[in-house]
Each structure stands twice: as structure tokens, then as C-alpha cells.
Amino acid sequence: MNTRTTSARWTVDRAVPLLAGFMILVSLALATGLSTWWLLLTAFVAVNLLLFAAVGWCPASLLMHRLGLPRRTELR
């Protein structure tokens, strides 16, 4: 029996943290293996996550929406 009340579809609201987590892991691996300058990418991702949390959008979310990924509010 499926008791799920939310949609299982991917939305911008789910994809932004997924992309951010992936980019942080990549930048940490690059910083460990190549140069600590890659930590600037980690800082950039963190600033974008804070922007997304504060105002509901970031450059990645705008691009994802333009590519056809729906926002959570559009599914209702």
C-alpha cells in the first residue's frame, strides 16, 4: 500500500541540493588532490545554497527551470 502524500517527481527544489552536494564533493576531492584553490568552488556553492534558502532561487535553479524541471509549487 502506497501511503506517500508527496510526488516522487524530481523538482528544482530537490535537484538544487543534490547538485550542490555533488559539486562540494568534487571540489573537496580536487582540493585534496590538486590545489587548495578548488575550495573557492566550495565557497561559491555555499553562497548559492544560502541564496536559494533565502530567496528561493539561485543561478542553477533558474537554469534547471528553463530546461524543463518543474518547481514544487507547479505540481499542485
Side-chain angles (χ1 to χ4, degrees):
M1 177 175 195
N2 189 0
T3 59
R4 206 179 255 202
T5 58
T6 59
S7 176
R9 291 189 57 194
W10 279 97
T11 62
V12 170
D13 303 302
R14 288 180 67 193
V16 166
L18 176 71
L19 177 64
F22 178 75
M23 292 304 296
I24 288 171
L25 289 174
V26 168
S27 67
L28 289 175
L30 289 169
T32 301
L34 297 177
S35 170
T36 56
W37 284 100
W38 283 103
L39 292 175
L40 290 175
L41 178 59
T42 305
F44 177 74
V45 172
V47 168
N48 278 296
L49 273 175
L50 291 172
L51 181 66
F52 185 71
V55 295
W57 67 270
C58 68
S61 69
L62 297 176
L63 179 65
M64 289 177 194
H65 186 65
R66 228 174 236 211
L67 292 174
L69 207 59
R71 291 189 171 98
R72 183 176 40 193
T73 56
E74 295 172 357
L75 293 179
R76 295 177 189 193

